[in-house]
Amino acid sequence: MSNIREENPLRKLARSQKWQSLYHKAKEIASIHLFRNQEDFSKLQITFLSLLEEYASAYFDLLMGEDLISEEVIRDWIRLQSYFLYKSKHRKKLKLDKNVNNKQFTDRIVFRRRSKNREVNNYGK
Amino acid sequence: MKDKKELAKKLTKEMQQADQLSNLEEMLKNNVIEFELKGITYRVRQPTIKERQEVKREKNKKYLELLNDDSYLFQEHIIEKLEKKGKSIAKMVEAMNKLQEQIERLQLKLAEYGNAKEKDNKIITDLKLKIFELMEERNLISMKKAELLSGSIEDTLLEFETTYFAYLLLEKKEGDNWVRVFNKYDDFLQCQDNSLMSKCGNYLGLLLFSSGE
């Protein structure tokens, strides 16, 4: 069994300044490629790409001044994973709250529309 | 003296880690992994469409062969037999799910410590340790479950697929050309070179199956 208490070397590479800056440049400049092959990626490369994105998003949040993230959290894989889990649950909750609000808003509109229709009908008479 | 020893230990560990990272970077560069063993250069690579089709065809043949062999059972039937012997796979899955829920609960608690420093907050270390313990417990159950279900038709087919890919994709360098190491699948199965088999398995895993995470 691999030691889950230690950070996977793939994560270490993905959060390194070298790979993060390469990743950003490759996104901006089409002629910069991360790998020699440009298709038919290996499983390892696919995982690495998703880790690069994960750390890019973590660094972005840090830059934006998010409360729950720090360099220390980014360097600690279990704390980072916990941060993303918290963020996703929180976002889901926000979405749910938003849906409830939207529903109330829609109900109100439906109610108002009905009353408007009645008025139109009244005018029609 | 003790300090120097510790420093040397630390340096060796750091050098090993750097070595590991540079090896990993080398493997990432391409969808082909080259390695040397006993003076021979080998490689494993991604399969072509034709090779994937060949594996699929051979896997189908193997499936029919296993269907006609009474000594192989589907996972479903093994699970039923295990239930009768007092081993419940459903309970194992339930236990893993419960552990996962506990892990996530603790992770959410851990996340709330946000940018607090671990050295000033013992609770962060305690939460991490508890999460790791639960993860290890969950992984252990998962391994036990896999062990109990090994030998099933599904498992045997997966093993066949992996070894067939290994037979097709392991090549050695001869002059400027890459040639297959084994001419037949049976030759691959007969191979006694454990270090070659183990390297081939690990690298092929990174290319095709596992994620390295």
Side-chain angles (χ1 to χ4, degrees):
Chain A
M1 199 192 298
S2 65
N3 189 356
I4 52 171
R5 293 174 191 235
E6 276 178 24
E7 187 185 34
N8 185 297
L10 205 57
R11 283 188 171 270
K12 213 171 266 182
L13 279 184
R15 68 174 164 82
S16 69
Q17 206 187 348
K18 173 189 162 182
W19 278 98
Q20 276 299 311
S21 91
L22 256 175
Y23 180 59
H24 283 292
K25 283 188 179 130
K27 269 178 151 182
E28 285 164 16
I29 307 165
S31 60
I32 293 180
H33 304 291
L34 295 176
F35 313 123
R36 277 187 210 133
N37 55 310
Q38 282 158 53
E39 53 186 17
D40 207 10
F41 296 115
S42 69
K43 262 274 155 65
L44 184 70
Q45 289 173 324
I46 292 168
T47 309
F48 188 60
L49 284 171
S50 76
L51 285 177
L52 282 171
E53 183 54 40
E54 186 180 302
Y55 282 99
S57 145
Y59 281 117
F60 179 78
D61 286 355
L62 182 69
L63 199 72
M64 289 291 112
E66 282 265 2
D67 279 347
L68 299 176
I69 197 155
S70 64
E71 280 279 357
E72 189 177 304
V73 171
I74 293 176
R75 278 198 305 272
D76 188 331
W77 80 269
I78 192 67
R79 285 184 74 182
L80 185 66
Q81 209 184 60
S82 305
Y83 166 74
F84 281 123
L85 180 73
Y86 183 92
K87 211 177 140 182
S88 76
K89 295 255 178 195
H90 197 64
R91 202 183 288 145
K92 255 186 218 161
K93 196 179 166 286
L94 274 179
K95 217 174 166 183
L96 265 178
D97 291 347
K98 213 176 158 189
N99 281 346
V100 170
N101 286 341
N102 280 350
K103 197 177 174 301
Q104 284 167 353
F105 184 64
T106 325
D107 287 348
R108 207 165 61 228
I109 289 180
V110 171
F111 174 72
R112 285 179 73 180
R113 203 181 280 156
R114 270 187 194 158
S115 76
K116 201 179 169 189
N117 281 345
R118 263 187 222 133
E119 277 172 25
V120 170
N121 285 340
N122 285 340
Y123 286 128
K125 276 182 182 172
Chain B
M1 188 64 183
K2 199 185 164 200
D3 282 352
K4 273 190 181 171
K5 259 190 181 174
E6 268 172 16
L7 188 69
K9 226 176 174 178
K10 201 180 156 208
L11 268 176
T12 315
K13 199 180 171 194
E14 277 172 9
M15 277 167 73
Q16 279 171 345
Q17 278 177 349
D19 215 28
Q20 196 184 20
L21 286 185
S22 85
N23 279 343
L24 194 58
E25 269 191 311
E26 205 51 49
M27 284 191 253
L28 275 170
K29 277 183 193 162
N30 211 340
N31 56 1
V32 175
I33 298 177
E34 278 185 36
F35 59 97
E36 290 234 353
L37 206 67
K38 296 169 194 160
I40 302 172
T41 309
Y42 294 96
R43 76 170 186 184
V44 282
R45 57 171 174 80
Q46 292 279 96
T48 60
I49 295 175
K50 210 176 153 196
E51 284 164 338
R52 281 188 195 276
Q53 284 169 343
E54 183 179 339
V55 172
K56 203 175 170 191
R57 213 170 36 242
E58 292 301 320
K59 199 176 151 188
N60 278 343
K61 272 192 218 166
K62 185 78 186 171
Y63 178 56
L64 292 176
E65 187 191 311
L66 293 174
L67 273 184
N68 289 320
D69 187 336
D70 290 340
S71 57
Y72 285 97
L73 294 173
F74 283 107
Q75 275 189 3
E76 207 184 315
H77 298 133
I78 295 181
I79 290 171
E80 280 169 16
K81 282 187 183 288
L82 284 169
E83 280 291 340
K84 282 179 193 156
K85 293 207 178 243
K87 289 255 178 216
S88 170
I89 295 288
K91 275 187 187 155
M92 287 173 115
V93 173
E94 199 186 314
M96 282 194 288
N97 289 342
K98 272 192 185 149
L99 283 167
Q100 186 57 33
E101 276 171 25
Q102 285 182 54
I103 291 167
E104 289 192 6
R105 259 201 306 276
L106 291 179
Q107 279 193 287
L108 292 175
K109 212 181 259 181
L110 177 63
E112 281 173 4
Y113 283 88
N115 53 16
K117 292 206 181 318
E118 190 174 347
K119 67 176 170 60
D120 303 327
N121 292 276
K122 195 180 162 287
I123 183 133
I124 294 180
T125 314
D126 292 344
L127 279 169
K128 278 169 60 179
L129 283 176
K130 189 70 200 154
I131 292 169
F132 287 139
E133 273 171 26
L134 293 171
M135 281 178 163
E136 280 162 355
E137 203 180 323
R138 180 201 57 196
N139 293 354
L140 206 67
I141 299 176
S142 168
M143 278 169 72
K144 275 186 193 159
K145 179 180 156 251
E147 215 173 282
L148 286 170
L149 295 176
S150 71
S152 63
I153 289 183
E154 291 91 333
D155 222 51
T156 311
L157 274 179
L158 189 68
E159 198 183 304
F160 175 80
E161 187 183 20
T162 318
T163 50
Y164 204 91
F165 267 126
Y167 145 67
L168 285 180
L169 305 173
L170 177 66
E171 295 175 329
K172 63 180 173 184
K173 203 166 191 181
E174 279 186 3
D176 288 335
N177 300 320
W178 288 100
V179 294
R180 259 189 209 160
V181 175
F182 302 102
N183 293 322
K184 288 182 295 185
Y185 176 61
D186 280 343
D187 293 346
F188 172 84
L189 294 180
Q190 304 289 325
C191 179
Q192 300 285 321
D193 190 341
N194 288 338
S195 50
L196 178 63
M197 290 294 98
S198 140
K199 275 194 186 283
C200 171
N202 288 343
Y203 294 147
L204 202 66
L206 291 176
L207 283 187
L208 301 183
F209 304 106
S210 68
S211 55
E213 250 271 89

